[in-house]
């Protein structure tokens, strides 16, 4: 794994960990502590942002949820800088940590950190020279992109280690930039206006011809025509960077044009409750995580202004958006929290954030739907854990019902996507059991076994279900061990967990996350082909994981340059992008066609068949 590009974002292992000692390939890479440093040297704002998600899925063992609250050492250093160790998560025989290097008043041109690892041993590292295998008193220095740090700014590196975390912490020494401090340049970022409680209106003009509704197990437009949502995910707004990953390198408009030009008609965009609350309070901040040379129109823009600029571009290219509340906290590991509240973000904040964003974009049908919560999860005897109808504050069916009703009261046109949980009691068992063997366990967000008999309550013409599913390279589930087939997966996994909702006409399904690397494991390739074929045969809606190449355990549709496409992976996905008989991509907008396609209006005017199955 590269120093600069080690991790990725989000695959969620199901945590089916009944076999002690089994290696887990999942701690995400937004899931990984992706931290970014941006430097300023000699008055030129060097927006060279790299970073990586660290929570190394590939090395994280059994259960990552052992440390719901990070533990933090005291900052220590020589005055030019300080270093602080934050242990983000622990498991039975290891842990994940970030080290925050904070510059003093003089800034930094380079830094060195001494870190006491105790008896633990580093198994993976990113964003520094810390060596794999290091133990005891170890050293770490900056790499090329994160040595220069503005006065008062910080850089972050991270690592995974085997063993118990040390309590000794770390200290920093550095070369100060004060001797060569540049004169002020007068750039917009230098004199950014203070946050204001006045939040500007969205940029897109009101429009309302593209709202969608649920009808049986299909999604239909305002004319009653069946549509097919076939898209992908692009993450970053959910992370500590608070903006799309990759904008440190590429142009926003060009990337949107490329995505839409490839026939993706909907983009699922992860975001955090914390960021929505910041926007709501008028505290949208400027960011150093956007390359101003590549995006001159975004120089000095706040994260909210960048989000709105994205919506303008999406609308111009016929691309629709599903907003996914991925985590409570704006944290690269935030999705690991099994429920919808964490830290200072309360359960009520979850509802308030949704109501605010629904109201703000009420008139803009670029955002056609809201995914209420990414991957609620947890299994016995973990706490907290999401239940379905189990009662109490962690009853996801009840919470999703309240969220759906509160959002619908503000925004009655938006689709409302509800994911499953991880574990539900087997027949004859109850939620009171603390024995994992008493539960049916699958992927995080993938268990909708109880939704048929106990549905989410709310507007029936707007609610649909959205499971996630992954292959053995994310986590080697029991059903991948030994021979399996498309038929066995459908009978043993997909059917009882979620496919029955479609097959029995109860609800449409949108597979919110599926994907992975190709060519590394025959089982992985088989699983991805089988699920792709199921999606095509049933015309299931889906958003592939993901656009980002920095998703550690899945890779992306884009290569590491954030510009060229992984043509092999794209060819697999292309077969389940909505197209007419001539191969023209069909968008969801009734007036603006995808760059290489046609509108849904044109599709039906030309005699297109309804995508059902």
């Amino acid at each position: 794994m590269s120093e600069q590009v080690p991790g990725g974002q989000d695959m969620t292992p199901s945590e089916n960990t009944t076999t002690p000692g089994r290696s887990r390939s999942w701690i995400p890479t937004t899931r990984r502590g992706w931290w970014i440093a941006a430097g300023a040297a000699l008055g030129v704002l060097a927006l060279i942002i790299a970073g990586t998600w660290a929570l190394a899925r590939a090395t994280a063992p059994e259960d990552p949820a052992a440390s719901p609250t990070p533990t933090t050492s005291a900052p220590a250093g020589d005055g030019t800088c300080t270093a602080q160790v934050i242990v983000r998560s622990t498991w039975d025989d290891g842990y994940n940590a970030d080290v925050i290097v904070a510059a003093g008043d003089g800034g930094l041109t380079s830094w060195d950190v001494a870190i006491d690892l105790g008896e633990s041993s580093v198994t993976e590292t990113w964003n520094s020279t810390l060596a794999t295998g290091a133990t005891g008193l170890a050293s770490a220095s900056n790499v090329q992109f994160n040595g220069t740090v503005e006065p008062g700014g910080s850089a972050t590196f991270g690592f995974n280690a085997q063993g118990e975390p040390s309590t000794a912490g770390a200290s920093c020494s550095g070369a100060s930039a004060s001797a060569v401090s540049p004169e002020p340049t007068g750039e917009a970022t230098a004199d950014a206006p203070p946050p204001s409680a006045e939040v500007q209106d969205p940029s897109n003009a009101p429009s309302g011809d593209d709202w969608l509704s649920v009808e049986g197990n299909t999604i239909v437009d305002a004319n009653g025509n069946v549509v097919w949502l076939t898209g992908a995910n692009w993450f970053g707004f959910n992370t500590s960077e608070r903006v799309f990953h990759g904008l440190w390198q590429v142009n926003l408009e060009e990337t949107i044009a490329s995505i839409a030009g490839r026939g993706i008609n909907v983009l699922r965009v992860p975001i955090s409750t914390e960021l929505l609350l910041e926007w709501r309070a008028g505290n949208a901040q400027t960011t150093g995580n956007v390359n101003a040379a590549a995006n001159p129109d975004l120089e000095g823009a706040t994260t909210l202004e960048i989000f709105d600029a994205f919506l303008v571009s999406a609308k111009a290219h016929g691309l629709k958006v599903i907003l996914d509340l991925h985590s409570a906290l704006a944290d690269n590991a935030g999705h690991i929290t099994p429920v919808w509240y964490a830290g200072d973000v309360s359960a009520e904040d979850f509802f308030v954030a949704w109501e605010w964003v629904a109201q703000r974009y009420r008139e803009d049908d670029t955002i056609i739907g809201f995914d209420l919560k990414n991957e609620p999860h947890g299994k016995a005897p973990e706490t907290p854990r999401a239940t379905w109808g189990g009662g109490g504050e962690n009853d996801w069916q009840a919470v999703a019902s309240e969220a759906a009703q509160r959002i619908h009261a503000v925004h009655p046109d938006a689709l409302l996507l509800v994911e499953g949980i991880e574990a539900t009691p087997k027949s004859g068992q109850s939620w009171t059991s603390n024995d994992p063997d008493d539960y049916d366990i699958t992927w995080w967000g993938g268990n909708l076994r109880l939704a048929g008999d106990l549905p989410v309550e709310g507007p029936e013409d707007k609610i649909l279900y959205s499971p996630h599913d992954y292959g053995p390279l994310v986590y080697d589930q029991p059903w991948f061990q030994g021979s399996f087939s498309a038929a066995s997966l459908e009978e043993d996994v997909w059917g009882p967990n979620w496919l029955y909702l479609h097959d029995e006409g109860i609800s449409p399904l949108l597979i919110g996350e599926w994907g992975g690397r190709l060519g590394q494991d025959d089982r992985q390739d088989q699983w991805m082909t089988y699920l792709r074929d199921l999606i095509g045969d049933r015309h299931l809606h889906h958003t592939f994981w993901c656009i980002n190449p920095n998703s550690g355990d899945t890779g992306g549709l884009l290569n590491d340059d954030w510009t060229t496409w992984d043509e092999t992976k794209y060819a697999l996905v292309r077969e389940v992008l909505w197209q007419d008989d001539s191969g023209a991509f069909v968008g969801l907008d009734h007036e603006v066609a995808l760059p290489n396609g046609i509108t849904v209006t044109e599709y039906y005017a030309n005699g297109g068949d309804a995508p059902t199955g």
Side-chain angles (χ1 to χ4, degrees), residues 292-336:
N295 297 273
D297 55 323
L298 299 180
E299 185 172 6
T302 68
T303 53
L304 177 56
E305 289 168 338
I306 295 168
F307 182 79
D308 281 346
F310 152 67
L311 291 181
V312 170
S313 180
K315 186 178 184 68
H317 290 90
L319 181 65
K320 297 301 182 183
V321 174
I322 292 172
L323 196 61
D324 152 48
L325 216 166
H326 211 70
S327 58
L329 301 178
D331 184 331
N332 298 319
H335 64 285
I336 291 180

Side-chain angles (χ1 to χ4, degrees), residues 13 33 62 87 128 156 160 256 266 373 417 429 453 493 501:
E62 289 295 296
V87 176
S128 82
T156 303
N160 294 326
I256 292 299
V266 62
K373 169 66 179 82
L417 284 67
Q429 302 297 330
D453 293 330
V493 184
L501 293 166

Side-chain angles (χ1 to χ4, degrees), residues 484-542:
F484 64 90
S485 64
S488 69
L489 289 173
E490 182 171 337
E491 180 178 357
D492 300 336
V493 184
W494 301 332
N497 280 311
W498 42 264
L499 187 58
Y500 77 95
L501 293 166
H502 170 89
D503 289 351
E504 296 177 18
I506 296 171
S507 171
L509 292 173
L510 188 148
I511 313 302
E513 292 182 18
W514 68 287
R517 300 185 184 278
L518 290 173
Q520 297 184 4
D521 185 311
D522 288 343
R523 300 173 307 151
Q524 170 78 16
D525 295 355
Q526 291 168 8
W527 162 81
M528 197 180 300
T529 301
Y530 293 155
L531 184 54
R532 188 274 313 277
D533 292 345
L534 177 75
I535 288 170
D537 291 343
R538 304 292 215 283
H539 284 96
L540 304 179
H541 310 278
H542 67 97

Side-chain angles (χ1 to χ4, degrees), residues 340 350-351 354-355 372-373 387-389 395-409 416-419 451 454-460 463 465:
W340 37 95
F350 168 78
F351 299 122
W354 267 131
E355 289 173 320
L372 301 185
K373 169 66 179 82
T387 66
W388 192 282
D395 181 347
W396 174 233
Q397 183 271 343
V399 170
S401 296
E402 182 173 351
Q405 292 163 30
R406 289 173 66 160
I407 293 170
H408 188 70
L416 303 167
L417 284 67
V418 181
E419 300 185 30
L454 187 62
V456 169
E457 298 175 2
E460 294 182 357
I463 294 174
Y465 295 100

Side-chain angles (χ1 to χ4, degrees), residues 40 61 74 89 175 200 310 364 398 411 514 576:
S89 60
Q200 297 298 317
F310 152 67
D364 184 3
H411 188 342
W514 68 287
V576 286

Side-chain angles (χ1 to χ4, degrees), residues 103-196:
D105 293 340
L108 293 171
T109 57
S110 65
W111 47 262
D112 298 283
V113 170
I115 181 169
D116 191 339
L117 299 165
E119 296 182 359
S120 67
S121 176
V122 173
T123 57
E124 185 173 9
T125 179
W126 51 94
N127 292 0
S128 82
T129 62
L130 181 64
T132 301
T135 188
L137 188 62
S139 62
S141 301
N142 61 275
V143 289
Q144 182 178 6
F145 69 83
N146 65 356
T148 301
V149 185
E150 294 179 355
S154 66
T156 303
F157 68 92
F159 63 94
N160 294 326
Q162 186 174 16
E164 293 293 326
S166 169
T167 59
S171 63
C172 179
S173 62
S176 173
S178 58
V180 290
S181 294
E183 293 298 320
T185 63
E187 294 179 357
T189 52
D191 298 304
S196 170

Side-chain angles (χ1 to χ4, degrees), residues 234-481:
W234 186 4
F235 65 78
F237 276 100
N238 57 304
T239 70
S240 59
E241 288 74 50
R242 289 170 164 79
V243 72
F244 281 131
H245 280 186
L247 292 186
W248 51 70
Q249 184 169 342
V250 293
N251 177 268
L252 174 62
E253 179 83 13
E254 292 174 358
T255 305
I256 292 299
S258 179
I259 291 169
R262 290 283 179 150
I264 288 165
N265 65 21
V266 62
L267 200 59
R268 180 174 177 260
V269 177
I271 204 164
S272 72
T273 306
E274 183 178 10
L275 182 59
L276 292 179
L277 293 173
E278 290 172 1
W279 290 352
R280 176 179 180 269
N283 291 329
Q285 300 296 307
T286 57
T287 175
N289 297 318
V290 176
N291 188 321
N295 297 273
D297 55 323
L298 299 180
E299 185 172 6
T302 68
T303 53
L304 177 56
E305 289 168 338
I306 295 168
F307 182 79
D308 281 346
F310 152 67
L311 291 181
V312 170
S313 180
K315 186 178 184 68
H317 290 90
L319 181 65
K320 297 301 182 183
V321 174
I322 292 172
L323 196 61
D324 152 48
L325 216 166
H326 211 70
S327 58
L329 301 178
D331 184 331
N332 298 319
H335 64 285
I336 291 180
T337 301
V339 290
W340 37 95
Y341 57 88
D344 292 334
V345 175
S346 69
E348 179 60 22
D349 287 335
F350 168 78
F351 299 122
V352 169
W354 267 131
E355 289 173 320
W356 176 81
V357 76
Q359 179 64 54
R360 176 176 170 81
Y361 298 103
R362 168 70 184 87
E363 302 299 328
D364 184 3
D365 62 6
T366 308
I367 302 180
I368 56 172
F370 302 126
D371 188 339
L372 301 185
K373 169 66 179 82
N374 180 69
E375 297 177 351
H377 62 275
K379 59 184 178 298
E382 298 167 356
T383 184
R385 57 178 164 129
T387 66
W388 192 282
E393 64 178 353
N394 297 325
D395 181 347
W396 174 233
Q397 183 271 343
V399 170
S401 296
E402 182 173 351
Q405 292 163 30
R406 289 173 66 160
I407 293 170
H408 188 70
V410 173
H411 188 342
D413 292 314
L415 292 175
L416 303 167
L417 284 67
V418 181
E419 300 185 30
I421 56 175
E422 180 184 0
T424 55
K426 294 179 179 178
S427 178
Q429 302 297 330
S430 73
W431 293 106
T432 60
S433 173
N434 282 326
D435 185 350
D437 291 337
D438 290 341
Y439 292 81
D440 290 306
I441 302 173
T442 187
W443 299 104
W444 292 0
N447 192 326
L448 287 159
R449 288 172 180 259
L450 301 181
D453 293 330
L454 187 62
V456 169
E457 298 175 2
E460 294 182 357
D461 64 336
K462 296 296 178 182
I463 294 174
L464 66 149
Y465 295 100
S466 182
H468 293 182
D469 198 82
Y470 282 106
L473 287 185
V474 171
Y475 177 60
D476 199 0
Q477 297 278 14
W479 48 88
F480 294 130
Q481 298 167 24

